[in-house]
Amino acid sequence: AIRPEYAEAHFNRGQVLRDLQRPSEADAALSRALAIKPDYVDALNFRGIVLRDLRRPAEALVSFDQALAVRPDYITALNNRGNILQEMKRPAEALASYDRALEIRPDHAQALYNRGIVLRELQRPAEALASFDRVLSINPNHVDALNNRGVVLRDLKRPAEALASYDRALAIRPNYVEALNNRGSALRDLQRLT
């Protein structure tokens, strides 16, 4: 049996319940962990993830913000905060959260990737391209960065380079449906230019 005052056991139980796709029970376990240890940053961050699963974005944001109030340099919480802000259609705030994570750790590939997504959404394709290129300098096989790099290159009217980016993604993951579809669009763009 779980010792009722042992916050870490409730946290671990919450993680297992999420893995079992039982988010409501995971939230209850994390809430118990936080009742015992209110400044438990990992539980605050993970509860934000579970609340996101439960489609409760405003509460998820509060949970990420609480984690960051305890540990302002918590890169994972900053990245997760950016993700939830992006889902809430608040891209400028999401970008600020990713940028803060990158101030702390400039080579955080996931924050760089998410930054590229939000920059494209903000119609800043050249900056988005630079962000995806930085991801690929860290992890050359990041297929989602390769695919989205291609999307941005198409936005910039550079279909041949976009095609090459999609081809690199497909060499890594041949059944990547989104990249296959985008590759077809790039080929259509190239035919229009010839």
Side-chain angles (χ1 to χ4, degrees), residues 19-65:
D19 289 345
L20 293 171
Q21 298 181 357
R22 293 162 54 185
S24 293
E25 292 171 77
D27 181 40
L30 293 165
S31 294
R32 282 193 291 280
L34 290 164
I36 298 163
K37 191 174 173 183
D39 64 347
Y40 191 170
V41 292
D42 292 330
L44 287 164
N45 176 66
F46 198 73
R47 183 164 189 250
I49 293 168
V50 169
L51 289 166
R52 180 183 180 199
D53 293 345
L54 291 167
R55 292 179 172 76
R56 292 162 51 191
E59 292 172 77
L61 180 60
V62 168
S63 203
F64 295 133
D65 284 342

Side-chain angles (χ1 to χ4, degrees), residues 57-167:
E59 292 172 77
L61 180 60
V62 168
S63 203
F64 295 133
D65 284 342
Q66 289 171 331
L68 290 164
V70 176
R71 190 189 318 158
D73 65 346
Y74 193 180
I75 293 170
T76 304
L78 283 163
N79 187 59
N80 288 334
R81 182 180 188 274
N83 292 343
I84 205 72
L85 286 164
Q86 205 168 344
E87 287 179 21
M88 295 171 78
K89 307 293 186 221
R90 293 162 60 180
E93 291 172 82
L95 180 60
S97 204
Y98 299 136
D99 284 345
R100 175 74 184 114
L102 292 165
E103 286 171 18
I104 298 163
R105 193 168 132 210
D107 66 343
H108 192 278
Q110 198 56 44
L112 281 165
Y113 172 75
N114 292 331
R115 183 178 188 274
I117 297 291
V118 81
L119 283 165
R120 179 174 186 260
E121 190 177 321
L122 290 167
Q123 299 181 354
R124 293 162 59 182
E127 292 170 83
L129 179 61
S131 214
F132 293 132
D133 284 344
R134 283 180 59 202
V135 172
L136 294 166
S137 73
I138 296 162
N139 177 2
N141 294 327
H142 194 299
V143 290
D144 294 325
L146 285 164
N147 179 59
N148 281 291
R149 181 180 186 273
V151 170
V152 170
L153 286 164
R154 281 192 65 226
D155 292 343
L156 293 168
K157 309 289 188 235
R158 294 161 57 182
E161 292 170 81
L163 184 62
S165 203
Y166 300 135
D167 285 345

